[in-house]
């Protein structure tokens, strides 16, 4: 999941980075293009200015020469009177600041007149050698140069119109041009400092604007990265919170959070299942002190308190963990664990150990009793046969024989409890088993006027043949002792489940109170005047060997409409669970 989220985040970031690169490249191209156009515009503006200045100088020189030319003068030299006026004109133009250099070159490409800005002892500027060839070929030419360390545009033009006007109008009218070796050249050095300053300011503004755009895009990309990282962290936090919520809601242990006033402010699902009754809506808002429970055991270590309690018929383990929500607010977390099954297992283990101790003792006692008991029964049998016609000796002998047989049964049961029995379960037909019990107990049932009913809703049971017969026989004997002398009813019911078979032996006797039912499976515990208290203990031992269990229902009162004459069953119901071969130990 996290890998797919990372991949899904990389694609938008890559697209954002690509958009940023395209934006930067586009901005750089537009800036370069605008600067190039601006440079071209500056150059054309300076070239236009140079042309205008050259044309103005040309016109002024022509007018001055026309005023000073002598009639009939045809030589190629300017009049001497024109040079001072031309120099003065050039100096005035240079003094205005836009021109750094004005020069007039003759046909031999030697300077006739040079005027520079700031004339002094410094060396006179010399134009590039190839400039005159370019002027001659193109009639004008311009190139950027440095004149005494200042940027300038050097513009040169052929002085041909001036010569035409000075040396004859006839040639102009006839359309003839002077030969190239008679041409003069006018050079202008136009200052570019002001234009370059403006261009540099524009370039700086354009670069700053581009930088701002690129920086804004980069900041937006960083914000996008931070947004996706924050969203990923938010998703992780959401998944973690969902996982913690599912963990708390589905964990088997209950979890409560108490306020400083011990009010419940949070509870998970298991806590509701362990503490909440069906009539209650929620645990939140209740006070913990409102719960009444029986404390069985407690233990404290530092600030942690462990307590074993009984609440609502359940054995619960409570662990109190105090913590601080803030510096001044102390809260308590309670972990609730259901120890009912563990308590049952501990009780079973305790009972098994006790039975083992009793079994060891009983084995020794029974061994010591059985041998002399056999001798005593033999003598009792002898006396019963010898004095069978003499009273009261015959009665005494018969009583001795009966009590010896009862004591022998007790010794036999003790030996059965003391010795471990390995069960050999197999598939048995339940209907045949119930029929055999009907045959075995038929005389006793008929003698007491009790009816035995069998309801078999499952065909087979996985059990040890001798063990299950012993269990049913003990239960039927107990039920026969409990049912009334008239209208006695005993039922055997077999129901199948997905994991085994439940066999119930019920009667309509007086039932078994709660205090007796709790100890009914313990050895030597009985409420019968002549009982040994070993019948149900043997039943429990055999069922443990089958990895099953025994349950005894609470006594049911005969309700209105139930009449012993109609056969309605009340009394006691003992249920036996025999697990299937593949599901031993599972109900």
């Amino acid at each position: 999941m996290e890998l797919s989220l990372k991949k899904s985040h990389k694609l938008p970031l890559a697209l954002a980075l690509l958009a940023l690169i395209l934006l930067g490249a586009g901005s750089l191209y537009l800036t370069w293009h605008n600067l190039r156009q601006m440079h071209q515009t500056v150059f054309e503006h300076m070239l236009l200015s140079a042309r205008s200045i050259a044309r103005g100088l040309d016109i002024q020189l022509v007018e001055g020469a026309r005023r000073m030319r002598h009639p009939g003068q045809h030589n190629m030299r300017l009049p001497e009177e024109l040079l001072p006026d031309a120099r003065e004109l050039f100096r005035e133009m240079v003094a205005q600041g836009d021109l750094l250099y004005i020069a007039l070159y003759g046909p031999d490409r030697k300077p006739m007149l040079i005027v520079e800005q700031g004339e002094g002892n410094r060396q006179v500027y010399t134009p590039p050698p190839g400039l005159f060839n370019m002027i001659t070929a193109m009639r004008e030419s311009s190139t950027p140069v440095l004149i005494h360390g200042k940027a300038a545009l050097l513009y040169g033009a052929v002085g041909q119109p001036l010569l035409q006007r000075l040396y004859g109008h006839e040639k102009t009218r006839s359309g003839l041009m002077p030969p190239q070796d008679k041409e003069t050249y006018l050079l202008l050095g136009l200052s570019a400092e002001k234009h370059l300053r403006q261009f540099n300011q524009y370039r700086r503004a354009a670069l700053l604007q581009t930088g701002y755009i690129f920086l804004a895009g980069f900041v937006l990309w960083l914000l996008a990265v931070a947004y996706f990282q924050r969203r990923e962290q938010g998703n992780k936090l959401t998944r973690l919170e969902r996982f913690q919520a599912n963990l708390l809601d589905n964990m088997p242990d209950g979890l409560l959070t108490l306020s400083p006033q011990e009010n419940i402010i949070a509870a998970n699902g298991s806590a509701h299942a362990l503490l909440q009754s069906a009539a209650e809506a929620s645990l939140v808002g209740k006070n913990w002190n409102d719960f009444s429970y029986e404390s069985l055991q407690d233990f404290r270590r530092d600030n942690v308190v462990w307590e074993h309690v009984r609440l609502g018929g359940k054995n619960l383990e409570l662990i109190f963990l105090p913590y601080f929500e803030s510096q001044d607010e102390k809260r308590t977390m309670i972990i609730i664990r259901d120890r009912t099954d563990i308590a049952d297992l501990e009780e079973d283990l305790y009972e098994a150990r006790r039975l083992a101790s009793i079994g060891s003792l009983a084995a020794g006692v029974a061994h010591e009793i059985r041998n002399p008991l056999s001798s005593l029964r033999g003598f009792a049998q002898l006396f019963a046969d010898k004095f069978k016609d003499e009273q009261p000796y015959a009665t005494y002998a018969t009583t001795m024989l009966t009590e010896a047989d009862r004591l022998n049964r007790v010794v036999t049961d003790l030996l059965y409890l003391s010795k471990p029995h390995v069960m050999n379960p197999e598939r048995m037909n339940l209907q045949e088993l119930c029929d055999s019990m009907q045959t075995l107990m038929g005389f006793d049932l008929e003698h007491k006027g009790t009816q035995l009913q069998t309801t078999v809703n499952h065909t087979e049971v996985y059990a040890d043949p001798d063990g299950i017969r012993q269990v049913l026989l003990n239960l039927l004997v107990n039920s026969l002792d409990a049912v009334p002398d008239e209208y006695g009813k005993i039922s055997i019911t077999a129901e199948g489940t997905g994991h085994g078979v439940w066999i119930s032996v019920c009667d309509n006797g007086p039932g078994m109170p709660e205090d007796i039912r709790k100890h009914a499976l313990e050895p030597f515990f009985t409420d019968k005047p002549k009982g040994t208290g070993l019948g149900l203990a043997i039943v429990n031992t055999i069922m443990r060997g089958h990895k099953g269990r025994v349950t005894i229902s609470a006594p049911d009162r005969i309700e209105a409409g139930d009449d012993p004459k109609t056969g309605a069953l009340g009394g006691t119901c003992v249920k036996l669970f025999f697990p299937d071969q593949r599901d031993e130990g599972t109900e």
Side-chain angles (χ1 to χ4, degrees):
M1 182 189 300
E2 293 185 358
L3 181 61
S4 61
L5 286 174
K6 290 181 179 178
K7 288 183 177 179
S8 63
H9 288 169
K10 287 182 178 179
L11 180 59
L13 291 178
L15 293 177
L17 181 61
L18 179 61
L20 177 62
I21 294 175
L22 293 178
L23 177 64
S27 300
L28 290 176
Y29 172 76
L30 291 177
T31 302
W32 172 81
H33 183 70
N34 292 334
L35 291 176
R36 183 179 178 184
Q37 286 186 342
M38 184 65 181
H39 186 272
Q40 185 67 24
T41 302
V42 170
F43 178 78
E44 291 177 355
H45 175 71
M46 293 181 65
L47 182 59
L48 182 61
S49 299
R51 287 175 178 172
S52 300
I53 294 173
R55 188 178 299 275
L57 289 176
D58 189 17
I59 293 173
Q60 292 187 23
L61 290 175
V62 168
E63 292 296 330
R66 182 177 296 170
R67 289 193 301 268
M68 296 182 178
R69 189 181 65 175
H70 301 286
Q73 183 179 1
H74 297 287
N75 57 353
M76 298 300 298
R77 218 171 25 88
L78 286 174
E80 294 296 335
E81 296 83 358
L82 182 59
L83 290 178
D85 295 337
R87 185 183 301 275
E88 189 64 27
L89 177 61
F90 289 176
R91 287 178 176 173
E92 290 178 0
M93 296 297 295
V94 169
Q96 294 179 3
D98 292 334
L99 292 174
L100 300 177
Y101 171 83
I102 301 177
L104 187 62
Y105 281 77
D108 54 359
R109 299 183 179 178
K110 292 182 180 181
M112 298 173 58
L113 181 60
I114 297 177
V115 176
E116 295 179 344
Q117 195 176 75
E119 293 179 337
N121 298 325
R122 59 187 179 185
Q123 186 178 359
V124 177
Y125 172 75
T126 302
L131 179 64
F132 295 101
N133 295 330
M134 296 177 63
I135 296 174
T136 302
M138 301 175 60
R139 312 305 296 172
E140 67 175 356
S141 180
S142 60
T143 181
V145 295
L146 286 176
I147 300 177
H148 301 304
K150 294 183 180 181
L153 176 67
L154 185 60
Y155 173 79
V158 176
Q160 179 180 330
L162 173 62
L163 296 176
Q164 289 178 351
R165 289 174 174 82
L166 290 176
Y167 301 106
H169 296 280
E170 295 81 3
K171 295 179 181 181
T172 303
R173 293 189 185 97
S174 63
L176 297 177
M177 301 297 293
Q180 292 183 358
D181 56 352
K182 300 299 183 179
E183 292 178 340
T184 58
Y185 303 94
L186 178 62
L187 301 182
L188 301 177
L190 187 62
S191 175
E193 294 291 332
K194 180 176 66 174
H195 299 282
L196 287 179
R197 282 195 300 270
Q198 296 177 353
F199 175 75
N200 289 334
Q201 292 178 356
Y202 176 79
R203 181 176 61 181
R204 187 181 301 107
L207 291 176
L208 289 176
Q209 182 180 3
T210 304
Y212 289 151
I213 294 175
F214 185 78
L215 181 61
F218 182 70
V219 171
L220 290 177
W221 183 79
L222 291 179
L223 292 176
V225 172
Y227 167 75
F228 284 114
Q229 290 179 349
R230 183 66 176 270
R231 190 174 70 173
E232 182 179 357
Q233 293 176 355
N235 292 335
K236 288 182 179 179
L237 181 60
T238 302
R239 293 194 301 271
L240 181 60
E241 291 177 349
R242 188 181 301 115
F243 171 76
Q244 291 178 346
N246 292 332
L247 178 62
L248 294 177
D249 290 339
N250 297 286
M251 64 184 299
D253 296 339
L255 185 64
L256 296 177
T257 303
L258 304 184
S259 66
Q261 294 76 26
E262 296 191 351
N263 293 322
I264 300 176
I265 58 177
N268 67 344
S270 298
H272 283 83
L274 293 173
L275 300 179
Q276 180 180 350
S277 65
E280 296 174 343
S282 177
L283 295 175
V284 178
K286 292 188 175 183
N287 192 278
W288 174 251
N289 296 322
D290 295 339
F291 291 91
S292 177
Y293 54 83
E294 177 187 359
S295 180
L296 304 178
Q297 186 180 3
D298 58 13
F299 175 76
R300 177 184 294 271
R301 176 177 293 177
D302 297 332
N303 294 328
V304 179
V305 178
W306 176 89
E307 190 172 4
H308 183 198
V309 303
R310 189 185 302 276
L311 176 63
K314 299 177 182 178
N315 288 281
L316 303 178
E317 177 184 347
L318 306 179
I319 302 177
F320 297 84
L321 302 170
Y323 70 97
F324 287 90
E325 180 71 17
S326 61
Q327 187 175 2
D328 299 328
E329 185 178 1
K330 181 180 179 181
R331 294 184 179 180
T332 304
M333 183 182 300
I334 303 178
I335 300 176
I336 307 172
R337 294 173 179 169
D338 190 358
R339 289 176 51 89
T340 304
D341 295 336
I342 298 178
D344 293 340
L345 292 176
E346 291 176 348
E347 184 177 354
D348 293 343
L349 179 61
Y350 172 75
E351 182 180 357
R353 290 176 177 175
R354 190 165 59 86
L355 288 176
S357 301
I358 294 175
S360 299
L361 177 62
V365 173
H367 180 73
E368 296 296 332
I369 292 177
R370 171 159 283 188
N371 292 333
L373 182 62
S374 299
S375 300
L376 291 174
R377 190 185 187 286
F379 285 112
Q381 184 68 44
L382 177 62
F383 292 152
D385 294 339
K386 184 175 181 179
F387 299 108
K388 63 180 179 179
D389 296 328
E390 300 181 16
Q391 294 294 337
Y393 300 110
T395 303
Y396 295 157
T398 302
T399 302
M400 290 174 60
L401 186 61
T402 302
E403 292 300 320
D405 289 339
R406 189 176 71 86
L407 184 58
N408 186 58
R409 288 195 301 271
V410 172
V411 171
T412 302
D413 291 341
L414 284 175
L415 291 175
Y416 188 91
L417 284 175
S418 63
K419 294 180 181 179
H421 294 272
V422 179
M423 299 296 169
N424 297 310
E426 60 183 48
R427 295 289 177 183
M428 297 185 61
N429 188 281
L430 282 172
Q431 187 62 52
E432 295 178 357
L433 180 63
C434 293
D435 293 342
S436 66
M437 291 294 105
Q438 180 78 39
T439 302
L440 185 62
M441 297 292 296
F443 178 78
D444 295 327
L445 293 171
E446 183 179 357
H447 178 73
K448 197 170 185 179
T450 301
Q451 182 181 358
L452 177 62
Q453 298 176 345
T454 59
T455 304
V456 179
N457 296 324
H458 198 73
T459 57
E460 292 183 343
V461 63
Y462 185 70
D464 180 78
D466 295 335
I468 192 172
R469 286 189 176 93
Q470 181 70 38
V471 167
L472 292 178
L473 184 61
N474 287 2
L475 294 179
L476 289 175
V477 169
N478 289 343
S479 295
L480 190 61
D481 293 338
V483 297
D485 295 336
E486 294 182 356
Y487 309 110
K489 286 282 186 179
I490 301 175
S491 68
I492 300 177
T493 306
E495 297 285 347
T497 64
H499 303 286
V501 179
W502 281 97
I503 299 178
S504 302
V505 179
C506 303
D507 60 65
N508 64 341
M512 191 179 296
E514 173 68 20
D515 55 342
I516 296 178
R517 186 168 59 90
K518 289 173 58 177
H519 304 283
L521 300 179
E522 297 178 1
F524 306 108
F525 180 84
T526 181
D527 61 342
K528 299 179 182 179
K530 296 183 179 181
T532 62
L534 296 177
L536 288 179
I538 292 175
V539 170
N540 191 32
T541 301
I542 294 175
M543 293 307 298
R544 288 179 181 275
H546 285 85
K547 297 183 179 179
R549 63 179 304 177
V550 183
T551 61
I552 304 176
S553 66
D556 297 330
R557 296 183 180 274
I558 299 179
E559 300 177 358
D562 292 342
D563 190 346
K565 296 181 180 181
T566 64
L569 295 179
T572 303
C573 188
V574 180
K575 296 183 179 180
L576 311 172
F577 177 74
F578 291 88
D580 284 342
Q581 182 177 4
R582 63 180 183 277
D583 295 313
E584 292 185 358
T586 304
E587 295 184 31

